[in-house]
Amino acid sequence: MTNWQKIALASVVGLSGCGRSAAPPGKLQVFAAASLAEPFTELGRRYEAAHPGVSITFNFAGSNVLRLQIEQHAPADVFASANEAQMKALLDGGLVNSDSVRVFAGNRLTIIVPSSNPAHVVAFADLAKPGLKLVAADKAVPAGAYFEKLLERAAARTEYGNSFSSAVLANIRSREENVEAVVTKVRLGVADAGIAYQSDLHGSAGAFLTGIDIPPDINPPAEYPIATIAHGDAPELARDFESFVLSPEGQSILAAHDFLMTPTK
Amino acid sequence: MSEPPEHPRRNRNSAWPPLAGLPLALLLILPLFALVAHVRPSRFLHDLLQPATLKAIVLSLATSVTTVILSVLFGTALAHCLARRQFPGQGILETLISLPMVLPPAVAGIALLLTFARGGWLGTTLATLGMEVVFTPLAVVIAQTFVSAPYYVKSATIGLANVSRSLEEAAALDGASPWQTFRDVTVPVAWRALVGGAVLCWARALGEFGATIIFAGNYPGRTQTMPLAIYIGFQIDPDQALALAAVLLALSFALLMAIRLSFSQILP
């Protein structure tokens, strides 16, 4: 799918050809992490309503995929990432405007179980139950990287320890390619439990899922940075949209989707 | 080798100019060379010998070979039935069997999940028997068989249907049992279609990605086949993914070439 997106994007560039720099100023391309799909769609709708003549196109995918696309100079104006690592890579490559990088939202990992909760998971410690079918995101995507960090922190704690972390790892049945796939597997009941974001409980799958809190002192804060793209066609519009995301109105939309309003750092 | 002797190859006055096929040939070959050219030889061995990489290679070979064996075993039976018998609804059955070839692999993965997941049609029964399919190597084999067996069945059906009945009847008159007739007459005549179908089936199974990642998940050593390792790896360490991609390419090339060569030996 990602290759197709790349090809589609490349053909858009090709078709507009020499007129690329003369693209209408009212068009904005926003590349945002898959977990941001719902709040960003709403943010875009609100922004368009307030700015007649502006049309926003979204490209939602894993942050790592979006980063690869931006590195291939896909036509993007704004990048909203689910972790710092992808943003830092683009920053180091000079592909985003360094003065525009801001953290705009926070998130936390949570345990998700099907509403029927077949394995009776009620606390974080239950993740080590022998035979529990657990799914998590792969280390390649932010949610998986945060999960690794969570297990490291748990291993360092006396109440959990190394044996706890290795028992949890032994329960992992699959490392999914993105956090949405984790949510789907749990929703379908293929897995007893999954590791996802708190904001995923707000999404359309939320009705089928129950969230179980992870102790906040070991739960690594997920931070979502946003920046404008250096090779973007609509730099002013991009900055204005970023300001809107950071504005009280934008923040309240994110908060309504269970993202943390005040970044934890 | 494919032209009957009474129509020798002609270079002049051919319906198609010889270079007309060049654009397509370039499109098919160029990306493969680009891939190989970007492999860093200094790191190739190191990348190749990573435990996760080796696990992916072993798993891919084991599952795709199992898939071919299962497809040939049951697929020949199915193809024989389709080629030799006539029954109501045959056309619909043949079309349904071919359907997985046109389904997007993701759809195949979702369909398998809905069948084998807990609460699914077969999943509930299997669960009471204490059998879990999803997230196991068995799920990988099922996903591969679902998408690639139709290639074998299709080819074998055409091959078996082309074996003349009178040849088989002659063998039967000479006292051959049905199984002897099938083994010594039908299979040798339909050989090309059977092997060709099995190769297509294997190739499709080895490259299977979409249905596998959805139905079997992604876990190194258990369900992470080479295509999955390449996809995930490309997002963390492109060099390692390239090394694995080159291995996949070399393996496929070697096998297809070997079959080609043995073909020209058996069937001059």
Side-chain angles (χ1 to χ4, degrees):
Chain A
M1 185 176 81
T2 57
N3 277 328
W4 285 110
Q5 283 174 340
K6 266 187 228 172
I7 291 162
L9 289 166
S11 61
V12 168
V13 177
L15 286 173
S16 53
C18 56
R20 200 173 171 220
S21 58
K27 278 192 179 160
L28 190 71
Q29 308 259 14
V30 177
F31 282 27
S35 51
L36 294 168
E38 293 192 15
F40 264 56
T41 305
E42 196 180 333
L43 281 165
R45 239 189 337 252
R46 292 268 195 103
Y47 189 85
E48 281 174 347
H51 300 80
V54 172
S55 99
I56 300 180
T57 318
F58 287 105
N59 176 19
F60 295 115
S63 304
N64 40 0
V65 173
L66 295 173
R67 173 194 143 194
L68 285 173
Q69 291 175 341
I70 292 168
E71 283 173 350
Q72 302 301 317
H73 287 253
D77 299 299
V78 176
F79 175 46
S81 170
N83 75 351
E84 280 174 295
Q86 309 301 337
M87 185 61 86
K88 190 172 178 303
L90 290 180
L91 196 56
D92 291 347
L95 289 156
V96 295
N97 298 310
S98 57
D99 60 337
S100 71
V101 183
R102 300 274 187 287
V103 172
F104 69 94
N107 214 336
R108 290 279 191 175
L109 292 181
T110 187
I111 300 166
I112 54 169
V113 296
S115 302
S116 59
N117 199 355
H120 309 293
V121 177
V122 294
F124 180 60
D126 292 337
L127 290 185
K129 269 189 186 175
L132 180 85
K133 285 198 282 290
L134 181 65
V135 286
D138 193 88
K139 275 172 277 191
V141 292
Y146 289 128
F147 179 56
E148 292 289 306
K149 200 182 266 180
L150 167 69
L151 285 184
E152 272 170 36
R153 288 183 176 187
R157 290 299 189 83
T158 45
E159 66 258 51
Y160 302 111
N162 273 325
S163 58
F164 170 83
S165 288
S166 33
V168 175
L169 284 174
N171 282 341
I172 295 181
R173 293 295 194 276
S174 177
R175 299 220 177 237
E176 298 291 320
E177 54 169 326
N178 61 52
V179 73
E180 276 64 37
V182 173
V183 173
T184 305
K185 294 271 156 74
V186 175
R187 177 183 171 172
L188 286 174
V190 184
D192 297 325
I195 306 294
Y197 291 119
Q198 265 170 17
S199 57
D200 290 315
L201 287 168
H202 183 278
S204 50
F208 306 90
L209 301 170
T210 307
I212 289 145
D213 286 341
I214 292 166
D217 49 336
I218 55 168
N219 195 351
E223 292 185 339
Y224 288 68
I226 190 169
T228 58
I229 307 295
H231 62 256
D233 287 333
E236 281 147 45
L237 196 53
R239 280 185 188 267
D240 195 55
F241 180 76
E242 185 187 316
S243 312
F244 173 67
V245 173
L246 295 163
S247 73
E249 190 187 352
Q251 292 288 297
S252 71
I253 292 170
L254 285 157
H257 286 85
D258 282 354
F259 283 86
L260 300 176
M261 226 165 82
T262 39
T264 38
K265 197 166 77 183
Chain B
M1 125 175 139
S2 56
E3 315 244 319
E6 58 266 31
H7 295 291
R9 266 182 208 204
R10 283 163 294 181
N11 288 327
R12 286 154 192 273
N13 304 324
S14 138
W16 292 89
L19 290 181
L22 192 65
L24 181 60
L26 276 179
L27 174 68
L28 297 179
I29 295 167
L30 217 55
L32 305 182
F33 276 98
L35 188 74
V36 175
H38 281 81
V39 173
R40 286 161 58 184
S42 54
R43 278 200 51 188
F44 181 73
L45 256 187
H46 169 261
D47 289 331
L48 186 60
L49 295 176
Q50 295 297 309
T53 309
L54 292 176
K55 277 181 190 170
I57 294 172
V58 171
L59 184 73
S60 263
L61 288 178
T63 51
S64 63
V65 169
T66 310
T67 293
V68 173
I69 292 172
L70 290 175
S71 301
V72 169
L73 211 63
F74 296 103
T76 310
L78 188 57
H80 197 260
C81 175
L82 292 172
R84 281 285 177 267
R85 283 168 217 277
Q86 282 185 328
F87 50 88
Q90 187 167 13
I92 293 174
L93 180 66
E94 282 202 53
T95 310
L96 281 175
I97 289 171
S98 305
L99 211 52
M101 292 198 287
V102 280
L103 276 187
V107 176
I110 294 165
L112 288 169
L113 211 47
L114 295 176
T115 310
F116 288 96
R118 244 190 315 218
W121 285 2
L122 291 178
T124 316
T125 318
L126 289 170
T128 53
L129 298 170
M131 251 184 93
E132 295 281 351
V133 175
V134 187
F135 303 137
T136 65
L138 178 62
V140 178
V141 172
I142 291 174
Q144 289 178 353
T145 307
F146 183 80
V147 297
S148 59
Y151 289 87
Y152 177 76
V153 175
K154 198 93 196 137
S155 180
T157 307
I158 295 168
L160 294 175
N162 281 339
V163 179
S164 91
R165 275 286 176 82
S166 52
L167 210 60
E168 293 179 334
E169 279 156 13
L173 275 177
D174 287 342
S177 71
W179 175 247
Q180 279 173 328
T181 308
F182 179 72
R183 192 190 58 195
D184 298 334
V185 177
T186 315
V187 167
V189 174
W191 188 242
R192 187 184 283 267
L194 297 179
V195 175
V199 170
L200 266 182
C201 169
W202 176 80
R204 184 66 189 79
L206 190 68
E208 214 309 303
F209 171 76
T212 307
I213 200 162
I214 290 182
F215 178 51
N218 171 56
Y219 198 91
R222 215 181 296 151
T223 60
Q224 190 183 71
T225 54
M226 285 166 81
L228 269 63
I230 292 168
Y231 176 76
I232 300 281
F234 193 66
Q235 301 171 29
I236 312 175
D237 184 354
D239 280 335
Q240 197 172 332
L242 270 176
L244 199 50
V247 173
L248 188 69
L249 209 60
L251 260 176
S252 312
F253 182 80
L255 197 113
L256 293 177
M257 204 64 206
I259 286 164
R260 236 191 119 76
L261 289 176
S262 58
F263 241 123
S264 56
Q265 301 258 310
I266 301 166
L267 303 163

